[in-house]
Amino acid sequence: MDSAGFDSTGREFSSATEMWAAEIGAATSAPVSAEVAPPAAAPSNGVAGGGEGKRKEWYSKGISYWQGVEASTEGVLGGYGCVNDADVKGSDAFLRPLLAERFGAAKRHLVALDCGSGIGRVTKNLLLRHFNEVDLVEPVSHFLEAARENLAGCMDVGQDTHKAANFYCIPLQDFTPEEGRYDVIWIQWCIGQLTDDDFISFFNRAKVGLKPDGFFVLKENIARNGFVLDKEDNSVTRSDAYFRELFKKCGLYIHNIKNQKELPEELFAVKMYALVTSEPKIKKSGKRRRPKNSPHVIRS
């Protein structure tokens, strides 16, 4: 059953299908089940644009909003620059064990893609610690120019050092990564700009960009139930159930999941998902489990 939701003006929708029909003139939702409960707005730092008719208008409104935002940490985090340190700390704690698990201790030239990169905040503070190369994709031109400036000291350096390599000024719904280039594709606070069908299309194209054992990290605001449509920046905050339905449609599996901590209470909750293209194997502990109703041995 489709999830109910509402927009930032208070308009209620009986389903995501109804909302997308109103916004882009087409049914483009994944079925999810949830109730409605309104949380407050939270940071978002990227957008996407393009399409025809009402779809084109959907994306152009989002681009227009972010074009009017200052290219600074405070700007891209929606006036909540104070969350930067906690965000980076949480992301680092999530990413480190995943890299060790997926790639082991052997030396490997690691490459990441920062989607909705904004001013390069995540690349500079997180990704360049772990990856030899990071590519950035961002549709808002003055954000990407700011990223070039912010990362100027991390460009044109030696092959085995950590550098910002390529800068793509392209919306996610139009972007196709280079085949087999990336160990990790990082997507943070930007996927809400995509319609459901463009969400699915993006991930299906992006899979091709992963190396063997590569994975996605999606870090995003989470609605308590259903969805919340922000009419100011044209983005949709989806519930965990909504995301899980979309992941299924993308052929992706949740390898790990973690909540972001230490955020202001008035903001949306934030989750981090590590997504892989093959179903994770169930780990066996090696211990023989006692049947629930079996008798215990009484020792004299």
Side-chain angles (χ1 to χ4, degrees), residues 94 98 102 183 185 187 199 203 210 213-219 243-244 246-248 250-257 272-278 280:
F94 185 65
L98 287 169
R102 301 290 288 182
D183 298 280
I185 296 179
I187 306 146
F199 179 114
F203 274 103
L210 291 174
D213 295 323
F215 59 95
F216 297 99
V217 173
L218 176 66
K219 185 169 186 176
F243 272 123
R244 287 172 185 264
L246 288 176
F247 297 156
K248 288 180 182 178
C250 296
L252 295 173
Y253 301 90
I254 297 175
H255 180 75
N256 202 359
I257 185 170
M272 294 170 277
Y273 301 91
L275 303 168
V276 295
T277 58
S278 299

PDB file of all heavy atoms in Angstrom, residues 94 98 102 183 185 187 199 203 210 213-219 243-244 246-248 250-257 272-278 280:
ATOM      1  N   PHE A  94      31.243   4.972  10.531  1.00  0.00           N
ATOM      2  CA  PHE A  94      30.484   4.031   9.691  1.00  0.00           C
ATOM      3  C   PHE A  94      31.358   3.476   8.571  1.00  0.00           C
ATOM      4  O   PHE A  94      31.316   2.276   8.269  1.00  0.00           O
ATOM      5  CB  PHE A  94      29.273   4.756   9.108  1.00  0.00           C
ATOM      6  CG  PHE A  94      28.331   3.881   8.326  1.00  0.00           C
ATOM      7  CD1 PHE A  94      27.614   2.862   8.949  1.00  0.00           C
ATOM      8  CD2 PHE A  94      28.129   4.080   6.967  1.00  0.00           C
ATOM      9  CE1 PHE A  94      26.727   2.066   8.243  1.00  0.00           C
ATOM     10  CE2 PHE A  94      27.246   3.293   6.246  1.00  0.00           C
ATOM     11  CZ  PHE A  94      26.543   2.278   6.889  1.00  0.00           C
ATOM     12  N   LEU A  98      33.748  -0.697   7.257  1.00  0.00           N
ATOM     13  CA  LEU A  98      33.281  -1.207   5.970  1.00  0.00           C
ATOM     14  C   LEU A  98      34.445  -1.364   4.992  1.00  0.00           C
ATOM     15  O   LEU A  98      34.531  -2.367   4.272  1.00  0.00           O
ATOM     16  CB  LEU A  98      32.234  -0.259   5.373  1.00  0.00           C
ATOM     17  CG  LEU A  98      30.857  -0.261   6.037  1.00  0.00           C
ATOM     18  CD1 LEU A  98      30.025   0.918   5.529  1.00  0.00           C
ATOM     19  CD2 LEU A  98      30.125  -1.575   5.781  1.00  0.00           C
ATOM     20  N   ARG A 102      35.446  -4.959   3.478  1.00  0.00           N
ATOM     21  CA  ARG A 102      35.262  -5.207   2.046  1.00  0.00           C
ATOM     22  C   ARG A 102      36.577  -5.367   1.288  1.00  0.00           C
ATOM     23  O   ARG A 102      36.658  -6.152   0.344  1.00  0.00           O
ATOM     24  CB  ARG A 102      34.458  -4.058   1.411  1.00  0.00           C
ATOM     25  CG  ARG A 102      33.087  -3.840   2.001  1.00  0.00           C
ATOM     26  CD  ARG A 102      32.112  -4.943   1.666  1.00  0.00           C
ATOM     27  NE  ARG A 102      31.682  -4.919   0.275  1.00  0.00           N
ATOM     28  CZ  ARG A 102      30.796  -5.757  -0.249  1.00  0.00           C
ATOM     29  NH1 ARG A 102      30.269  -6.713   0.520  1.00  0.00           N
ATOM     30  NH2 ARG A 102      30.441  -5.675  -1.510  1.00  0.00           N
ATOM     31  N   ASP A 183      35.367   2.387  -5.825  1.00  0.00           N
ATOM     32  CA  ASP A 183      35.234   1.460  -4.705  1.00  0.00           C
ATOM     33  C   ASP A 183      34.012   1.811  -3.862  1.00  0.00           C
ATOM     34  O   ASP A 183      33.327   0.928  -3.351  1.00  0.00           O
ATOM     35  CB  ASP A 183      36.494   1.501  -3.837  1.00  0.00           C
ATOM     36  CG  ASP A 183      37.726   1.074  -4.606  1.00  0.00           C
ATOM     37  OD1 ASP A 183      37.936  -0.139  -4.761  1.00  0.00           O
ATOM     38  OD2 ASP A 183      38.474   1.965  -5.078  1.00  0.00           O
ATOM     39  N   ILE A 185      30.662   4.706  -3.784  1.00  0.00           N
ATOM     40  CA  ILE A 185      29.889   5.846  -4.282  1.00  0.00           C
ATOM     41  C   ILE A 185      29.100   6.390  -3.098  1.00  0.00           C
ATOM     42  O   ILE A 185      28.239   5.703  -2.551  1.00  0.00           O
ATOM     43  CB  ILE A 185      28.969   5.437  -5.445  1.00  0.00           C
ATOM     44  CG1 ILE A 185      29.820   4.968  -6.644  1.00  0.00           C
ATOM     45  CG2 ILE A 185      28.056   6.596  -5.852  1.00  0.00           C
ATOM     46  CD1 ILE A 185      29.010   4.518  -7.849  1.00  0.00           C
ATOM     47  N   ILE A 187      26.599   9.068  -1.353  1.00  0.00           N
ATOM     48  CA  ILE A 187      25.457   9.906  -1.729  1.00  0.00           C
ATOM     49  C   ILE A 187      24.861  10.466  -0.445  1.00  0.00           C
ATOM     50  O   ILE A 187      24.277   9.721   0.348  1.00  0.00           O
ATOM     51  CB  ILE A 187      24.401   9.077  -2.487  1.00  0.00           C
ATOM     52  CG1 ILE A 187      25.041   8.361  -3.682  1.00  0.00           C
ATOM     53  CG2 ILE A 187      23.239   9.947  -2.951  1.00  0.00           C
ATOM     54  CD1 ILE A 187      24.437   7.015  -3.971  1.00  0.00           C
ATOM     55  N   PHE A 199      15.427   8.036  -9.170  1.00  0.00           N
ATOM     56  CA  PHE A 199      16.199   7.388  -8.108  1.00  0.00           C
ATOM     57  C   PHE A 199      16.623   5.991  -8.569  1.00  0.00           C
ATOM     58  O   PHE A 199      17.802   5.612  -8.507  1.00  0.00           O
ATOM     59  CB  PHE A 199      15.309   7.315  -6.856  1.00  0.00           C
ATOM     60  CG  PHE A 199      15.884   6.658  -5.635  1.00  0.00           C
ATOM     61  CD1 PHE A 199      16.134   7.401  -4.487  1.00  0.00           C
ATOM     62  CD2 PHE A 199      16.137   5.295  -5.593  1.00  0.00           C
ATOM     63  CE1 PHE A 199      16.632   6.803  -3.336  1.00  0.00           C
ATOM     64  CE2 PHE A 199      16.639   4.679  -4.453  1.00  0.00           C
ATOM     65  CZ  PHE A 199      16.888   5.438  -3.322  1.00  0.00           C
ATOM     66  N   PHE A 203      20.568   4.637  -9.638  1.00  0.00           N
ATOM     67  CA  PHE A 203      21.295   3.544  -8.996  1.00  0.00           C
ATOM     68  C   PHE A 203      21.587   2.407  -9.982  1.00  0.00           C
ATOM     69  O   PHE A 203      22.658   1.785  -9.916  1.00  0.00           O
ATOM     70  CB  PHE A 203      20.530   3.020  -7.788  1.00  0.00           C
ATOM     71  CG  PHE A 203      20.813   3.782  -6.526  1.00  0.00           C
ATOM     72  CD1 PHE A 203      19.891   4.699  -6.041  1.00  0.00           C
ATOM     73  CD2 PHE A 203      22.001   3.616  -5.837  1.00  0.00           C
ATOM     74  CE1 PHE A 203      20.149   5.418  -4.885  1.00  0.00           C
ATOM     75  CE2 PHE A 203      22.271   4.321  -4.681  1.00  0.00           C
ATOM     76  CZ  PHE A 203      21.341   5.237  -4.195  1.00  0.00           C
ATOM     77  N   LEU A 210      30.823   0.690 -10.086  1.00  0.00           N
ATOM     78  CA  LEU A 210      31.480   0.066  -8.946  1.00  0.00           C
ATOM     79  C   LEU A 210      32.514  -0.971  -9.375  1.00  0.00           C
ATOM     80  O   LEU A 210      32.304  -1.740 -10.306  1.00  0.00           O
ATOM     81  CB  LEU A 210      30.446  -0.602  -8.048  1.00  0.00           C
ATOM     82  CG  LEU A 210      29.491   0.313  -7.278  1.00  0.00           C
ATOM     83  CD1 LEU A 210      28.449  -0.535  -6.558  1.00  0.00           C
ATOM     84  CD2 LEU A 210      30.233   1.204  -6.299  1.00  0.00           C
ATOM     85  N   ASP A 213      33.424  -5.786  -5.229  1.00  0.00           N
ATOM     86  CA  ASP A 213      33.316  -5.533  -3.788  1.00  0.00           C
ATOM     87  C   ASP A 213      33.021  -4.075  -3.459  1.00  0.00           C
ATOM     88  O   ASP A 213      32.961  -3.699  -2.287  1.00  0.00           O
ATOM     89  CB  ASP A 213      34.578  -5.968  -3.023  1.00  0.00           C
ATOM     90  CG  ASP A 213      34.795  -7.466  -3.081  1.00  0.00           C
ATOM     91  OD1 ASP A 213      33.788  -8.202  -3.029  1.00  0.00           O
ATOM     92  OD2 ASP A 213      35.957  -7.906  -3.188  1.00  0.00           O
ATOM     93  N   GLY A 214      32.824  -3.243  -4.471  1.00  0.00           N
ATOM     94  CA  GLY A 214      32.466  -1.852  -4.229  1.00  0.00           C
ATOM     95  C   GLY A 214      31.054  -1.737  -3.684  1.00  0.00           C
ATOM     96  O   GLY A 214      30.246  -2.667  -3.803  1.00  0.00           O
ATOM     97  N   PHE A 215      30.747  -0.597  -3.102  1.00  0.00           N
ATOM     98  CA  PHE A 215      29.429  -0.430  -2.488  1.00  0.00           C
ATOM     99  C   PHE A 215      29.017   1.035  -2.477  1.00  0.00           C
ATOM    100  O   PHE A 215      29.833   1.938  -2.688  1.00  0.00           O
ATOM    101  CB  PHE A 215      29.413  -0.997  -1.061  1.00  0.00           C
ATOM    102  CG  PHE A 215      30.407  -0.378  -0.109  1.00  0.00           C
ATOM    103  CD1 PHE A 215      30.045   0.656   0.739  1.00  0.00           C
ATOM    104  CD2 PHE A 215      31.713  -0.850  -0.051  1.00  0.00           C
ATOM    105  CE1 PHE A 215      30.950   1.218   1.625  1.00  0.00           C
ATOM    106  CE2 PHE A 215      32.638  -0.305   0.839  1.00  0.00           C
ATOM    107  CZ  PHE A 215      32.252   0.735   1.679  1.00  0.00           C
ATOM    108  N   PHE A 216      27.732   1.247  -2.247  1.00  0.00           N
ATOM    109  CA  PHE A 216      27.172   2.585  -2.086  1.00  0.00           C
ATOM    110  C   PHE A 216      27.039   2.903  -0.601  1.00  0.00           C
ATOM    111  O   PHE A 216      26.776   2.010   0.213  1.00  0.00           O
ATOM    112  CB  PHE A 216      25.765   2.671  -2.689  1.00  0.00           C
ATOM    113  CG  PHE A 216      25.684   2.449  -4.170  1.00  0.00           C
ATOM    114  CD1 PHE A 216      25.317   1.203  -4.669  1.00  0.00           C
ATOM    115  CD2 PHE A 216      25.942   3.479  -5.068  1.00  0.00           C
ATOM    116  CE1 PHE A 216      25.214   0.994  -6.037  1.00  0.00           C
ATOM    117  CE2 PHE A 216      25.842   3.276  -6.433  1.00  0.00           C
ATOM    118  CZ  PHE A 216      25.484   2.037  -6.918  1.00  0.00           C
ATOM    119  N   VAL A 217      27.202   4.177  -0.259  1.00  0.00           N
ATOM    120  CA  VAL A 217      26.745   4.663   1.031  1.00  0.00           C
ATOM    121  C   VAL A 217      25.727   5.761   0.764  1.00  0.00           C
ATOM    122  O   VAL A 217      26.032   6.741   0.077  1.00  0.00           O
ATOM    123  CB  VAL A 217      27.887   5.217   1.910  1.00  0.00           C
ATOM    124  CG1 VAL A 217      27.311   5.856   3.180  1.00  0.00           C
ATOM    125  CG2 VAL A 217      28.863   4.106   2.290  1.00  0.00           C
ATOM    126  N   LEU A 218      24.523   5.560   1.265  1.00  0.00           N
ATOM    127  CA  LEU A 218      23.480   6.578   1.192  1.00  0.00           C
ATOM    128  C   LEU A 218      23.263   7.119   2.598  1.00  0.00           C
ATOM    129  O   LEU A 218      22.931   6.359   3.514  1.00  0.00           O
ATOM    130  CB  LEU A 218      22.175   5.991   0.646  1.00  0.00           C
ATOM    131  CG  LEU A 218      20.979   6.949   0.612  1.00  0.00           C
ATOM    132  CD1 LEU A 218      21.214   8.075  -0.376  1.00  0.00           C
ATOM    133  CD2 LEU A 218      19.695   6.204   0.272  1.00  0.00           C
ATOM    134  N   LYS A 219      23.482   8.410   2.771  1.00  0.00           N
ATOM    135  CA  LYS A 219      23.254   9.056   4.067  1.00  0.00           C
ATOM    136  C   LYS A 219      22.183  10.112   3.860  1.00  0.00           C
ATOM    137  O   LYS A 219      22.363  11.040   3.070  1.00  0.00           O
ATOM    138  CB  LYS A 219      24.540   9.675   4.609  1.00  0.00           C
ATOM    139  CG  LYS A 219      24.382  10.257   6.016  1.00  0.00           C
ATOM    140  CD  LYS A 219      25.731  10.624   6.634  1.00  0.00           C
ATOM    141  CE  LYS A 219      25.570  11.060   8.082  1.00  0.00           C
ATOM    142  NZ  LYS A 219      26.874  11.344   8.736  1.00  0.00           N
ATOM    143  N   PHE A 243      12.405   4.013   1.630  1.00  0.00           N
ATOM    144  CA  PHE A 243      13.723   3.736   1.063  1.00  0.00           C
ATOM    145  C   PHE A 243      13.903   2.246   0.789  1.00  0.00           C
ATOM    146  O   PHE A 243      14.429   1.856  -0.267  1.00  0.00           O
ATOM    147  CB  PHE A 243      14.827   4.213   2.007  1.00  0.00           C
ATOM    148  CG  PHE A 243      15.222   5.646   1.811  1.00  0.00           C
ATOM    149  CD1 PHE A 243      15.146   6.551   2.863  1.00  0.00           C
ATOM    150  CD2 PHE A 243      15.686   6.104   0.588  1.00  0.00           C
ATOM    151  CE1 PHE A 243      15.513   7.876   2.687  1.00  0.00           C
ATOM    152  CE2 PHE A 243      16.048   7.433   0.398  1.00  0.00           C
ATOM    153  CZ  PHE A 243      15.961   8.323   1.453  1.00  0.00           C
ATOM    154  N   ARG A 244      13.478   1.417   1.716  1.00  0.00           N
ATOM    155  CA  ARG A 244      13.677  -0.021   1.547  1.00  0.00           C
ATOM    156  C   ARG A 244      12.931  -0.551   0.321  1.00  0.00           C
ATOM    157  O   ARG A 244      13.434  -1.444  -0.376  1.00  0.00           O
ATOM    158  CB  ARG A 244      13.256  -0.763   2.811  1.00  0.00           C
ATOM    159  CG  ARG A 244      14.249  -0.573   3.970  1.00  0.00           C
ATOM    160  CD  ARG A 244      13.738  -1.144   5.276  1.00  0.00           C
ATOM    161  NE  ARG A 244      14.636  -0.864   6.374  1.00  0.00           N
ATOM    162  CZ  ARG A 244      15.575  -1.694   6.835  1.00  0.00           C
ATOM    163  NH1 ARG A 244      15.727  -2.884   6.255  1.00  0.00           N
ATOM    164  NH2 ARG A 244      16.351  -1.355   7.849  1.00  0.00           N
ATOM    165  N   LEU A 246      12.366   1.218  -2.379  1.00  0.00           N
ATOM    166  CA  LEU A 246      13.141   1.685  -3.529  1.00  0.00           C
ATOM    167  C   LEU A 246      14.410   0.856  -3.718  1.00  0.00           C
ATOM    168  O   LEU A 246      14.797   0.544  -4.847  1.00  0.00           O
ATOM    169  CB  LEU A 246      13.498   3.162  -3.364  1.00  0.00           C
ATOM    170  CG  LEU A 246      12.343   4.152  -3.517  1.00  0.00           C
ATOM    171  CD1 LEU A 246      12.823   5.568  -3.237  1.00  0.00           C
ATOM    172  CD2 LEU A 246      11.730   4.086  -4.916  1.00  0.00           C
ATOM    173  N   PHE A 247      15.067   0.497  -2.616  1.00  0.00           N
ATOM    174  CA  PHE A 247      16.264  -0.338  -2.729  1.00  0.00           C
ATOM    175  C   PHE A 247      15.933  -1.661  -3.425  1.00  0.00           C
ATOM    176  O   PHE A 247      16.707  -2.148  -4.259  1.00  0.00           O
ATOM    177  CB  PHE A 247      16.852  -0.634  -1.342  1.00  0.00           C
ATOM    178  CG  PHE A 247      17.343   0.576  -0.583  1.00  0.00           C
ATOM    179  CD1 PHE A 247      17.435   0.558   0.805  1.00  0.00           C
ATOM    180  CD2 PHE A 247      17.727   1.732  -1.246  1.00  0.00           C
ATOM    181  CE1 PHE A 247      17.886   1.649   1.509  1.00  0.00           C
ATOM    182  CE2 PHE A 247      18.173   2.850  -0.546  1.00  0.00           C
ATOM    183  CZ  PHE A 247      18.255   2.806   0.839  1.00  0.00           C
ATOM    184  N   LYS A 248      14.796  -2.244  -3.071  1.00  0.00           N
ATOM    185  CA  LYS A 248      14.383  -3.499  -3.711  1.00  0.00           C
ATOM    186  C   LYS A 248      14.217  -3.306  -5.210  1.00  0.00           C
ATOM    187  O   LYS A 248      14.619  -4.155  -6.006  1.00  0.00           O
ATOM    188  CB  LYS A 248      13.070  -3.992  -3.097  1.00  0.00           C
ATOM    189  CG  LYS A 248      13.199  -4.544  -1.687  1.00  0.00           C
ATOM    190  CD  LYS A 248      11.847  -5.013  -1.163  1.00  0.00           C
ATOM    191  CE  LYS A 248      11.942  -5.516   0.266  1.00  0.00           C
ATOM    192  NZ  LYS A 248      10.617  -5.937   0.800  1.00  0.00           N
ATOM    193  N   CYS A 250      15.727  -1.241  -7.005  1.00  0.00           N
ATOM    194  CA  CYS A 250      17.054  -1.016  -7.587  1.00  0.00           C
ATOM    195  C   CYS A 250      17.891  -2.299  -7.616  1.00  0.00           C
ATOM    196  O   CYS A 250      18.987  -2.302  -8.191  1.00  0.00           O
ATOM    197  CB  CYS A 250      17.826   0.026  -6.781  1.00  0.00           C
ATOM    198  SG  CYS A 250      17.109   1.672  -6.782  1.00  0.00           S
ATOM    199  N   GLY A 251      17.409  -3.369  -6.976  1.00  0.00           N
ATOM    200  CA  GLY A 251      18.214  -4.578  -6.868  1.00  0.00           C
ATOM    201  C   GLY A 251      19.382  -4.403  -5.923  1.00  0.00           C
ATOM    202  O   GLY A 251      20.452  -4.997  -6.127  1.00  0.00           O
ATOM    203  N   LEU A 252      19.192  -3.603  -4.877  1.00  0.00           N
ATOM    204  CA  LEU A 252      20.250  -3.355  -3.893  1.00  0.00           C
ATOM    205  C   LEU A 252      19.888  -3.999  -2.560  1.00  0.00           C
ATOM    206  O   LEU A 252      18.710  -4.141  -2.211  1.00  0.00           O
ATOM    207  CB  LEU A 252      20.454  -1.852  -3.701  1.00  0.00           C
ATOM    208  CG  LEU A 252      20.973  -1.075  -4.906  1.00  0.00           C
ATOM    209  CD1 LEU A 252      20.966   0.421  -4.610  1.00  0.00           C
ATOM    210  CD2 LEU A 252      22.380  -1.531  -5.289  1.00  0.00           C
ATOM    211  N   TYR A 253      20.929  -4.359  -1.815  1.00  0.00           N
ATOM    212  CA  TYR A 253      20.750  -5.000  -0.521  1.00  0.00           C
ATOM    213  C   TYR A 253      21.441  -4.172   0.560  1.00  0.00           C
ATOM    214  O   TYR A 253      22.520  -3.621   0.339  1.00  0.00           O
ATOM    215  CB  TYR A 253      21.345  -6.413  -0.542  1.00  0.00           C
ATOM    216  CG  TYR A 253      20.740  -7.304  -1.585  1.00  0.00           C
ATOM    217  CD1 TYR A 253      21.279  -7.359  -2.876  1.00  0.00           C
ATOM    218  CD2 TYR A 253      19.625  -8.092  -1.306  1.00  0.00           C
ATOM    219  CE1 TYR A 253      20.727  -8.169  -3.854  1.00  0.00           C
ATOM    220  CE2 TYR A 253      19.060  -8.906  -2.278  1.00  0.00           C
ATOM    221  CZ  TYR A 253      19.615  -8.947  -3.544  1.00  0.00           C
ATOM    222  OH  TYR A 253      19.061  -9.753  -4.509  1.00  0.00           O
ATOM    223  N   ILE A 254      20.823  -4.117   1.723  1.00  0.00           N
ATOM    224  CA  ILE A 254      21.419  -3.389   2.843  1.00  0.00           C
ATOM    225  C   ILE A 254      22.471  -4.273   3.503  1.00  0.00           C
ATOM    226  O   ILE A 254      22.163  -5.325   4.067  1.00  0.00           O
ATOM    227  CB  ILE A 254      20.348  -2.968   3.868  1.00  0.00           C
ATOM    228  CG1 ILE A 254      19.344  -2.004   3.218  1.00  0.00           C
ATOM    229  CG2 ILE A 254      21.009  -2.311   5.081  1.00  0.00           C
ATOM    230  CD1 ILE A 254      18.186  -1.623   4.126  1.00  0.00           C
ATOM    231  N   HIS A 255      23.715  -3.847   3.414  1.00  0.00           N
ATOM    232  CA  HIS A 255      24.827  -4.570   4.027  1.00  0.00           C
ATOM    233  C   HIS A 255      25.027  -4.137   5.475  1.00  0.00           C
ATOM    234  O   HIS A 255      25.379  -4.933   6.331  1.00  0.00           O
ATOM    235  CB  HIS A 255      26.111  -4.317   3.227  1.00  0.00           C
ATOM    236  CG  HIS A 255      27.319  -5.020   3.771  1.00  0.00           C
ATOM    237  ND1 HIS A 255      27.519  -6.366   3.626  1.00  0.00           N
ATOM    238  CD2 HIS A 255      28.377  -4.553   4.484  1.00  0.00           C
ATOM    239  CE1 HIS A 255      28.649  -6.706   4.210  1.00  0.00           C
ATOM    240  NE2 HIS A 255      29.196  -5.627   4.746  1.00  0.00           N
ATOM    241  N   ASN A 256      24.805  -2.859   5.720  1.00  0.00           N
ATOM    242  CA  ASN A 256      24.916  -2.319   7.073  1.00  0.00           C
ATOM    243  C   ASN A 256      24.070  -1.060   7.156  1.00  0.00           C
ATOM    244  O   ASN A 256      23.802  -0.406   6.141  1.00  0.00           O
ATOM    245  CB  ASN A 256      26.376  -1.996   7.410  1.00  0.00           C
ATOM    246  CG  ASN A 256      26.636  -1.945   8.902  1.00  0.00           C
ATOM    247  OD1 ASN A 256      25.710  -2.128   9.700  1.00  0.00           O
ATOM    248  ND2 ASN A 256      27.877  -1.695   9.294  1.00  0.00           N
ATOM    249  N   ILE A 257      23.670  -0.716   8.359  1.00  0.00           N
ATOM    250  CA  ILE A 257      22.836   0.474   8.569  1.00  0.00           C
ATOM    251  C   ILE A 257      23.153   1.039   9.950  1.00  0.00           C
ATOM    252  O   ILE A 257      23.415   0.286  10.890  1.00  0.00           O
ATOM    253  CB  ILE A 257      21.334   0.119   8.429  1.00  0.00           C
ATOM    254  CG1 ILE A 257      20.464   1.371   8.520  1.00  0.00           C
ATOM    255  CG2 ILE A 257      20.917  -0.915   9.447  1.00  0.00           C
ATOM    256  CD1 ILE A 257      19.010   1.114   8.154  1.00  0.00           C
ATOM    257  N   MET A 272      22.439   6.080   7.841  1.00  0.00           N
ATOM    258  CA  MET A 272      23.466   5.721   6.859  1.00  0.00           C
ATOM    259  C   MET A 272      23.229   4.278   6.424  1.00  0.00           C
ATOM    260  O   MET A 272      23.126   3.380   7.267  1.00  0.00           O
ATOM    261  CB  MET A 272      24.863   5.871   7.474  1.00  0.00           C
ATOM    262  CG  MET A 272      25.225   7.301   7.801  1.00  0.00           C
ATOM    263  SD  MET A 272      26.759   7.459   8.786  1.00  0.00           S
ATOM    264  CE  MET A 272      26.105   7.158  10.450  1.00  0.00           C
ATOM    265  N   TYR A 273      23.128   4.068   5.115  1.00  0.00           N
ATOM    266  CA  TYR A 273      22.939   2.737   4.559  1.00  0.00           C
ATOM    267  C   TYR A 273      24.160   2.367   3.717  1.00  0.00           C
ATOM    268  O   TYR A 273      24.551   3.133   2.825  1.00  0.00           O
ATOM    269  CB  TYR A 273      21.725   2.690   3.636  1.00  0.00           C
ATOM    270  CG  TYR A 273      20.395   3.062   4.240  1.00  0.00           C
ATOM    271  CD1 TYR A 273      19.941   4.382   4.210  1.00  0.00           C
ATOM    272  CD2 TYR A 273      19.559   2.097   4.801  1.00  0.00           C
ATOM    273  CE1 TYR A 273      18.700   4.729   4.732  1.00  0.00           C
ATOM    274  CE2 TYR A 273      18.309   2.431   5.322  1.00  0.00           C
ATOM    275  CZ  TYR A 273      17.893   3.746   5.284  1.00  0.00           C
ATOM    276  OH  TYR A 273      16.662   4.090   5.795  1.00  0.00           O
ATOM    277  N   ALA A 274      24.748   1.209   3.980  1.00  0.00           N
ATOM    278  CA  ALA A 274      25.742   0.643   3.067  1.00  0.00           C
ATOM    279  C   ALA A 274      24.994  -0.338   2.177  1.00  0.00           C
ATOM    280  O   ALA A 274      24.378  -1.299   2.676  1.00  0.00           O
ATOM    281  CB  ALA A 274      26.844  -0.062   3.835  1.00  0.00           C
ATOM    282  N   LEU A 275      25.024  -0.103   0.876  1.00  0.00           N
ATOM    283  CA  LEU A 275      24.226  -0.878  -0.079  1.00  0.00           C
ATOM    284  C   LEU A 275      25.134  -1.626  -1.036  1.00  0.00           C
ATOM    285  O   LEU A 275      26.095  -1.060  -1.575  1.00  0.00           O
ATOM    286  CB  LEU A 275      23.309   0.061  -0.868  1.00  0.00           C
ATOM    287  CG  LEU A 275      22.350   0.916  -0.022  1.00  0.00           C
ATOM    288  CD1 LEU A 275      21.711   1.998  -0.882  1.00  0.00           C
ATOM    289  CD2 LEU A 275      21.279   0.049   0.633  1.00  0.00           C
ATOM    290  N   VAL A 276      24.815  -2.905  -1.243  1.00  0.00           N
ATOM    291  CA  VAL A 276      25.616  -3.739  -2.137  1.00  0.00           C
ATOM    292  C   VAL A 276      24.712  -4.351  -3.204  1.00  0.00           C
ATOM    293  O   VAL A 276      23.488  -4.384  -3.070  1.00  0.00           O
ATOM    294  CB  VAL A 276      26.349  -4.849  -1.344  1.00  0.00           C
ATOM    295  CG1 VAL A 276      27.371  -4.236  -0.390  1.00  0.00           C
ATOM    296  CG2 VAL A 276      25.364  -5.728  -0.575  1.00  0.00           C
ATOM    297  N   THR A 277      25.337  -4.847  -4.258  1.00  0.00           N
ATOM    298  CA  THR A 277      24.576  -5.353  -5.402  1.00  0.00           C
ATOM    299  C   THR A 277      24.294  -6.848  -5.320  1.00  0.00           C
ATOM    300  O   THR A 277      23.526  -7.376  -6.122  1.00  0.00           O
ATOM    301  CB  THR A 277      25.310  -5.049  -6.712  1.00  0.00           C
ATOM    302  OG1 THR A 277      26.620  -5.636  -6.660  1.00  0.00           O
ATOM    303  CG2 THR A 277      25.444  -3.545  -6.921  1.00  0.00           C
ATOM    304  N   SER A 278      24.937  -7.532  -4.368  1.00  0.00           N
ATOM    305  CA  SER A 278      24.685  -8.961  -4.166  1.00  0.00           C
ATOM    306  C   SER A 278      24.177  -9.182  -2.750  1.00  0.00           C
ATOM    307  O   SER A 278      24.624  -8.506  -1.818  1.00  0.00           O
ATOM    308  CB  SER A 278      25.962  -9.781  -4.376  1.00  0.00           C
ATOM    309  OG  SER A 278      26.435  -9.623  -5.701  1.00  0.00           O
ATOM    310  N   PRO A 280      23.934 -10.122   0.845  1.00  0.00           N
ATOM    311  CA  PRO A 280      24.973 -10.484   1.818  1.00  0.00           C
ATOM    312  C   PRO A 280      24.768 -11.898   2.353  1.00  0.00           C
ATOM    313  O   PRO A 280      23.641 -12.345   2.546  1.00  0.00           O
ATOM    314  CB  PRO A 280      24.795  -9.450   2.941  1.00  0.00           C
ATOM    315  CG  PRO A 280      24.072  -8.306   2.290  1.00  0.00           C
ATOM    316  CD  PRO A 280      23.188  -8.932   1.256  1.00  0.00           C
TER     317      PRO A 280
END
